[in-house]
Amino acid sequence: MIRILGAGAWGTALAVALGSGDGAADVELVSRTREGAEQLRRDHVNRRRLAGVALPAALRHASLDARMAPLGADDLLVAAVPSESIA
């Protein structure tokens, strides 16, 4: 699985690219809040950051304020957040 922290334009674009087409990866896009994750899950589009781009149906959604499954040894974590948000 590839877990992408950050559901902004960059994180969403990565999730769409990696989770679409032949050989699509198992991708989880992590929003800051449960409400943000629920909006993506419900609407299948990030209207705030990447309007008009459909999210892959198999894309999983999580949030920082909810419990996430642990990553395995073969999983990848991608930080797609602005550097000032890291602190």
Side-chain angles (χ1 to χ4, degrees):
M1 174 184 50
I2 300 171
R3 179 174 287 159
I4 301 173
L5 294 178
W10 177 232
T12 302
L14 279 173
V16 169
L18 294 170
S20 298
D22 293 338
D26 180 18
V27 179
E28 180 178 64
L29 183 59
V30 181
S31 299
R32 187 177 297 204
T33 64
R34 263 181 225 204
E35 293 79 18
E38 182 55 37
Q39 181 273 312
L40 296 174
R41 186 180 298 111
R42 180 185 61 242
D43 298 341
H44 301 286
V45 67
N46 188 339
R47 296 188 194 288
R48 189 166 168 227
R49 300 291 182 200
L50 207 60
V53 177
L55 301 177
L59 181 65
R60 293 191 282 169
H61 305 280
S63 63
L64 292 176
D65 60 356
R67 187 178 178 110
M68 288 182 273
L71 291 172
D74 293 332
D75 294 334
L76 179 66
L77 177 66
V78 176
V81 297
S83 57
E84 65 267 6
S85 297
I86 303 265

